[in-house]
Amino acid sequence: LARAAHLSLTGGREELRLRYVSQVADAPDAYEALLARLSRARSEDLRRMTTTVGIHRDDIAITIDGKEARTFASQGQQRSAVLSLKLAQLEWAGMESGEAPILMLDDVMSELDAGRRGAFLQLIGDDIQTVITTTNLGYFTDDLLDRAKVVSMGETC
């Protein structure tokens, strides 16, 4: 799902791949490996007052055209990859629940070029209830703004 959303978001120019990166999942006995790592990290974890080992520390490696997105991708490419994942989550949640989820995005347009903004807005369409915060209404077409409910928070001190 994420790949399909990303390809649509970038006009099919880039290939997005995801890989789950675990601290212990590749070990023959992942449970024992996790216990051993927790044991070795215990004193440091107590000192830091946080747990440094476990699935909450696992990651998803994202590559775009075979290169690590974290180090090689532009801000727009990184944002597109994240939006692709969000759209995939949205589609999955809708299929699982049988309900149309609400998409909430904070300042999502600021790091996208005009082409990516347009492609993204076409992907979410009118059938997805969406809340987008922004400081620049210029990111949106007049047509979209005419169909949207725009709420201004006014000036801040």
Side-chain angles (χ1 to χ4, degrees):
L1 294 176
R3 184 170 183 264
H6 184 74
L7 290 175
S8 297
L9 187 59
T10 64
R13 296 184 306 242
E14 299 164 334
E15 180 182 47
L16 174 73
R17 293 201 179 264
L18 308 173
R19 183 174 47 88
Y20 180 71
V21 181
S22 172
Q23 296 176 343
V24 296
D26 296 335
D29 187 349
Y31 179 75
E32 291 298 324
L34 177 59
L35 288 179
R37 288 198 62 161
L38 284 167
S39 179
R40 285 193 305 271
R42 182 171 169 74
S43 62
E44 180 65 14
D45 289 354
L46 289 170
R47 186 184 71 74
R48 289 185 183 189
M49 295 178 30
T50 188
T51 307
T52 58
V53 175
I55 61 170
H56 63 293
R57 297 293 184 171
D58 289 353
D59 202 359
I60 296 174
I62 300 172
T63 58
I64 300 174
D65 291 336
K67 296 180 181 174
E68 288 290 327
R70 188 172 287 164
T71 52
F72 290 104
S74 69
Q75 289 292 343
Q77 287 173 311
Q78 289 181 24
R79 181 70 74 144
S80 294
V82 169
L83 289 173
S84 296
L85 293 172
K86 293 289 182 198
L87 291 174
Q89 287 176 321
L90 187 76
E91 187 174 331
W92 177 84
M95 288 186 308
E96 284 293 306
S97 69
E99 302 278 334
I102 298 172
L103 178 61
M104 300 180 78
L105 301 166
D106 183 27
D107 197 27
V108 71
M109 301 301 194
S110 65
E111 293 172 354
L112 298 178
D113 61 34
R116 288 178 192 266
R117 283 194 298 267
F120 175 68
L121 292 172
Q122 282 184 339
L123 278 174
I124 59 174
D126 290 334
D127 57 336
I128 300 172
Q129 185 175 350
T130 306
V131 176
I132 301 175
T133 65
T134 187
T135 57
N136 185 354
L137 290 178
Y139 292 142
F140 304 93
T141 64
D142 290 339
D143 177 57
L144 184 116
L145 291 173
D146 288 342
R147 292 180 285 128
K149 177 169 173 89
V150 177
V151 178
S152 176
M153 301 308 285
E155 294 181 333
T156 59
C157 297

